[in-house]
Amino acid sequence: MKRPWIGVFKFTSCDGCQLSVLNMEDELPDFVSLFQVAYFREAGDMPLRGRFDIALVEGSVSTGWQKAQIIEVRERTRHLVTIGACAAAGGLQALRNWADIEDYKRLVYPSPDMIETLPCSTPVSDHVYVDYELWGCPVNCDELSEMLGSFLLDRKPGIPAYSLCMECKRKGVPCLLVAKSEPCLGPVTRAGCGVLCPSMERPCYGCFGPKEGANIGSLLEAFRNAGFSSHECVLLLDKMNTYAFREAGTGEGRF
Ligand code: SF4
Ligand code: SF4
Ligand code: SF4
């Protein structure tokens, strides 16, 4: 069988999702035997040339050159898949979307004039067509394997669309929201992480992003009834998926 060509691309990100790919120790031999890895700068210095059957894209678009580069990647690629919260939702760096970027530049950098950046950090799907989004911070490697396997078998990936609460109930984890009034974002968050945080008695902070049709307003009302202020509720959502949660909350990117 001719091996499909795969490229792994980085935009604004911490590299954690690419490292997760490299950390798939059990699966890596299959990965390199089934795919021709043609571009993966985190793994080695490879020139960007030719076309790709599949591109895995990490990171958000937050500079002018990235806006041009993501279009080039799309043009070279048959199937474009984003990996992680930065690429799917703009990442933690999208917090600047609700502030003045010039203020941040002045406060953070000794020479703000040297910083070239866009005022907003945006998901890849705001710029080009995305065939599939894998969420999480970092991306879940089981979901990545499932997606790559389904590409080879030409079928739809079996990745859950329901909320984390479903996964949590199946595992028999006591509910932190009901039993302890802790502000768990599980009801509005996509399943897929294996209920990492509630299993450790920690509330979910939504790193898998909003599930489709999430009723965020209703959950925030439950938090307010449990004694959290409106400001605290917004802070709960303002993390690596701030852009997606705010959009899902109002459809306008703002509460
Ligand atoms: S999604 Fe998280 S782990 Fe992945 S690149 Fe962004 S910040 Fe890093
Ligand atoms: S602990 Fe969180 S994820 Fe689990 S059932 Fe309760 S609200 Fe849902
Ligand atoms: S429980 Fe929530 S915050 Fe924790 S890993 Fe899963 S999705 Fe992310």
Side-chain angles (χ1 to χ4, degrees), residues 105 108-115:
K105 280 162 67 175
V108 174
Y109 298 101
S111 306
D113 293 347
M114 298 182 74
I115 305 300

Side-chain angles (χ1 to χ4, degrees), residues 94 98 149 153 176 179 185 193 230 232-233 237:
W98 326 125
L153 297 170
L176 297 165
L185 294 185
C193 69
S230 296
E232 285 170 325
C233 289
L237 299 170

Side-chain angles (χ1 to χ4, degrees), residues 152-240:
L152 293 172
L153 297 170
D154 198 20
R155 64 160 170 79
K156 196 174 167 208
I159 291 177
Y162 44 77
S163 78
L164 183 69
C165 289
M166 292 277 285
E167 215 174 1
C168 197
K169 292 292 99 189
R170 281 200 197 115
K171 284 190 111 177
V173 175
C175 180
L176 297 165
L177 186 58
V178 172
K180 296 186 175 176
S181 293
E182 294 211 29
C184 183
L185 294 185
V188 296
T189 299
R190 290 161 191 271
C193 69
V195 200
L196 278 180
C197 302
S199 300
M200 305 296 289
E201 296 189 37
R202 299 194 59 168
C204 169
Y205 52 88
C207 84
F208 265 62
K211 75 174 262 299
E212 211 169 300
N215 191 341
I216 293 173
S218 174
L219 184 65
L220 294 187
E221 196 180 324
F223 289 168
R224 282 190 210 103
N225 291 341
F228 292 92
S229 69
S230 296
H231 181 62
E232 285 170 325
C233 289
V234 171
L235 291 183
L236 287 168
L237 299 170
D238 267 350
K239 297 192 173 70
M240 64 286 290

Side-chain angles (χ1 to χ4, degrees), residues 13-17 58 84-86 136-138:
S13 59
C14 81
D15 288 24
C17 289
E58 174 197 84
C86 292
C137 180

